[in-house]
Amino acid sequence: MMQQHQAYKTNAVNTATPQELTLMLYNGCLKFMKQAKKAMEEKDIPAKNNYIQRAQDIISELIITLDHNAPIAKDILPLYEFINRRLIDANIKNDPEILMEAYALVEEFRNTWKEVMKQAKTMQYSQGAKA
């Protein structure tokens, strides 16, 4: 059963559009931050550290893959860097409030991204109907 689940996840990533991959990154980052918060509550420092580092890896990936030529990149990059700094602070200080501050920002990015994807799809269908 576990192999089937892993095969499904691998297939989902391999067939996803760049927009869907970005959404997966946001969702993964949120998942790791939730797990880090739970580890904090359980005083499991190694697990907390691992989950926060995994969230940081995702933020780093979002920074690397950001189209720096896009006009909005100059607004997004400092926010990604801020989220990364807050993750570091949350990890060092073992502070769930700081972690949830970063969580709220990533959640806002994710929700905005979902809306952009929805609008793009609607626009694509409406243009296809006109053709």
Side-chain angles (χ1 to χ4, degrees), residues 55-67:
Q56 285 180 270
D57 288 344
I58 290 173
I59 296 300
S60 293
E61 183 66 21
L62 289 166
I63 289 171
I64 290 166
T65 59
L66 184 64
D67 179 0

Side-chain angles (χ1 to χ4, degrees), residues 108-125:
E108 193 170 323
F109 269 112
R110 192 265 323 261
N111 293 343
T112 301
W113 189 252
K114 281 172 70 173
E115 188 59 34
V116 166
M117 287 176 63
K118 191 169 109 181
Q119 288 178 7
K121 193 173 268 189
T122 300
M123 215 165 116
Q124 181 183 21
Y125 286 135

Side-chain angles (χ1 to χ4, degrees), residues 79-102:
L79 292 169
Y80 283 165
E81 290 170 340
F82 177 76
I83 291 166
N84 194 48
R85 280 195 306 277
R86 296 312 281 163
L87 287 170
I88 292 168
D89 290 343
N91 202 2
I92 291 170
K93 297 175 182 176
N94 201 42
D95 188 329
E97 286 184 30
I98 296 172
L99 181 64
M100 295 318 291
E101 177 186 334

Side-chain angles (χ1 to χ4, degrees), residues 8-77:
Y8 171 79
K9 283 174 49 177
T10 301
N11 188 47
V13 169
N14 290 337
T15 60
T17 65
Q19 296 81 10
E20 292 167 334
L21 287 173
T22 300
L23 184 61
M24 288 178 190
L25 286 171
Y26 286 135
N27 285 333
C29 191
L30 292 170
K31 179 184 86 168
F32 290 134
M33 285 192 273
K34 279 184 192 174
Q35 291 171 321
K37 184 172 187 280
K38 185 173 188 255
M40 280 180 182
E41 292 164 355
E42 295 171 353
K43 302 195 184 332
D44 185 346
I45 302 303
K48 175 224 35 166
N49 183 52
N50 177 52
Y51 292 131
I52 289 178
Q53 286 181 351
R54 291 177 81 177
Q56 285 180 270
D57 288 344
I58 290 173
I59 296 300
S60 293
E61 183 66 21
L62 289 166
I63 289 171
I64 290 166
T65 59
L66 184 64
D67 179 0
H68 294 274
N69 294 321
I72 196 160
K74 68 178 176 31
D75 297 324
I76 293 175
L77 182 59

